[in-house]
Amino acid sequence: MNEYIIKEKWAQLKGKAKEKWGELTNDDLDIIEGKRDQLAGKIREKYGCTKEEAEKEIDDWLNGQD
């Protein structure tokens, strides 16, 4: 799933992102607006993981959305 599709489907994906990363607030998700780099940054901030770990989590999560 490429970044364009993420932005286009963000309204649908927000709920699933909230389920996956419960520490993210609705305000966080509104600010992210489907931007992958911002999602990774918020995951790193909330969960204290590395950039690589956040990117892998996002990749795994997106692969399950197709």
Side-chain angles (χ1 to χ4, degrees):
M1 183 178 293
N2 68 36
E3 189 154 342
Y4 174 76
I5 293 171
I6 295 169
K7 287 181 183 179
E8 289 296 309
K9 292 187 172 186
W10 187 242
Q12 296 168 327
L13 292 174
K14 272 180 20 176
K16 292 180 181 183
K18 181 75 170 161
E19 288 175 16
K20 171 82 174 153
W21 298 287
E23 295 290 317
L24 297 179
T25 66
N26 288 332
D27 288 341
D28 291 335
L29 296 170
D30 288 342
I31 291 167
I32 291 167
E33 293 182 335
K35 297 177 189 129
R36 183 189 173 102
D37 60 332
Q38 288 192 14
L39 177 57
K42 285 294 181 184
I43 292 169
R44 291 176 61 202
E45 177 185 316
K46 300 285 183 171
Y47 292 93
C49 59
T50 66
K51 180 179 180 179
E52 292 78 19
E53 290 169 333
E55 290 290 337
K56 178 162 181 5
E57 279 198 32
I58 293 169
D59 286 341
D60 292 347
W61 177 67
L62 289 174
N63 287 334
Q65 302 305 313
D66 289 335

